[in-house]
Amino acid sequence: MKRSIYAGIALVAVGVVGLVVVLAVGSADVRPFSGRPAVHSPGEEIFFYGTDDGRRIPRRGGIGMMGSGLGCAACHGTDGRGERVSMMMASFETPDIRWSTLSSAEMEHEGGEAPHPPYDRESFARALRKGVDPGGNELESPMPRWQINDDEVDALIAYLKQL
């Protein structure tokens, strides 16, 4: 009887310690991956890790792990060309987000509907923040809504121009 009581207390103690660790790490402003490759610009850091100088850029929406420090590359690929993504029992195609594609003449809407005008800086910022493309179409639900500032938008565009 005493053994089962001690075992129960030990399990509760381990659970409490685990919860404290999860809460501390989850709320800290830390880089999500140890040993991750170095980045060479703020835009590259945003693209790969969803952080700016190690600070997580807040976002809402999206699916799966989008709230845990992943950046654009997690869904759009490390080259930004888009790809098929499977996450949290969902599968979807992501568009090419290289600036040469985003700012080209007429892009096809994500769902294959009528094309929309090309992105410019303002419409790109609106897509990131509000989830609306230049034609006024709502972006698909996997796309998170970022609380990204103007300097971060400019840095991300500069990086997308390099892809």
Side-chain angles (χ1 to χ4, degrees):
M1 181 73 154
K2 278 188 176 183
R3 273 191 183 163
S4 63
I5 291 173
Y6 290 130
I9 291 171
L11 284 174
V12 169
V14 168
V16 168
V17 169
L19 180 62
V20 168
V21 169
V22 167
L23 291 174
V25 171
S27 64
D29 221 4
V30 296
R31 296 178 185 257
F33 309 108
S34 61
R36 70 184 195 177
V39 293
H40 302 95
S41 70
E44 186 177 16
E45 182 181 357
I46 294 166
F47 181 79
F48 279 100
Y49 304 113
T51 59
D52 183 9
D53 200 23
R55 176 192 62 83
R56 181 182 172 276
I57 299 172
R59 69 212 73 159
R60 62 179 169 69
I63 65 169
M65 301 298 290
M66 289 313 299
S68 66
L70 299 179
C72 312
C75 291
H76 297 278
T78 57
D79 61 2
R81 294 176 186 263
E83 58 190 23
R84 176 155 280 304
V85 176
S86 295
M87 193 181 291
M88 298 295 289
M89 297 174 49
S91 182
F92 52 91
E93 281 292 322
T94 60
D96 185 334
I97 60 167
R98 293 173 297 159
W99 193 252
S100 59
T101 302
L102 291 175
S103 62
S104 68
E106 295 267 326
M107 283 188 57
E108 189 176 290
H109 176 19
E110 282 183 18
E113 291 107 29
H116 60 69
Y119 281 91
D120 59 19
R121 189 217 176 275
E122 286 69 35
S123 61
F124 183 68
R126 185 174 73 159
L128 292 172
R129 293 173 180 149
K130 304 220 183 264
V132 178
D133 75 20
N137 304 300
E138 188 170 340
L139 298 178
E140 300 292 327
S141 64
M143 177 65 186
R145 295 352 179 210
W146 295 78
Q147 294 175 22
I148 189 167
N149 68 41
D150 288 341
D151 290 338
E152 292 164 342
V153 169
D154 293 337
L156 182 55
I157 289 172
Y159 184 72
L160 294 177
K161 286 179 178 181
Q162 296 175 23
L163 295 179

